[in-house]
Amino acid sequence: MKEISPALRSFVLTLPSVPFLEALLLLHGAPGQIWTAEAIAQRLYLPSVARADAIVTELAARGFCACTPDGQLIYQPADEALHALIAELCREYQQRLIEITRLVHG
């Protein structure tokens, strides 16, 4: 099996947590859907909506998603290069879940 690309490895190392990573992948997998923090908390089995709110805020701040005026979230990366990196992450995560989660934790 080939190695994770250096660009993807560097990107994964910037992710703050596995729930953040999983929220990003959740939104990437449903690009037209508008999400609430409550829906993200429920889908990811997060212990609180406050945790999901923090993730939503950071996803938007990092340019992965956009917030609607009422605080909901939609997948909308800041540029095509970021979208391509997230798509690569999605593909690799399916094959290398343990390796990628270890990178996030590291």
Side-chain angles (χ1 to χ4, degrees), residues 12-21 51 58 62 64 104-105:
V12 169
L13 290 171
T14 70
L15 302 178
S17 68
V18 172
F20 181 91
L21 162 68
R51 176 82 169 111
E58 190 159 358
R62 290 181 177 221
F64 299 140
V104 172
H105 287 297

Side-chain angles (χ1 to χ4, degrees), residues 26-48:
L26 177 67
L27 274 66
H28 173 269
Q33 186 168 338
I34 296 175
W35 294 88
T36 63
E38 292 83 7
I40 291 171
Q42 186 175 49
R43 286 288 300 271
L44 298 181
Y45 304 102
L46 296 174
S48 71

Side-chain angles (χ1 to χ4, degrees), residues 88-99:
E88 181 183 357
L89 173 60
C90 186
R91 287 188 304 274
E92 290 294 323
Y93 192 65
Q94 293 174 10
Q95 303 295 317
R96 302 169 182 262
L97 184 136
I98 293 171
E99 184 179 354

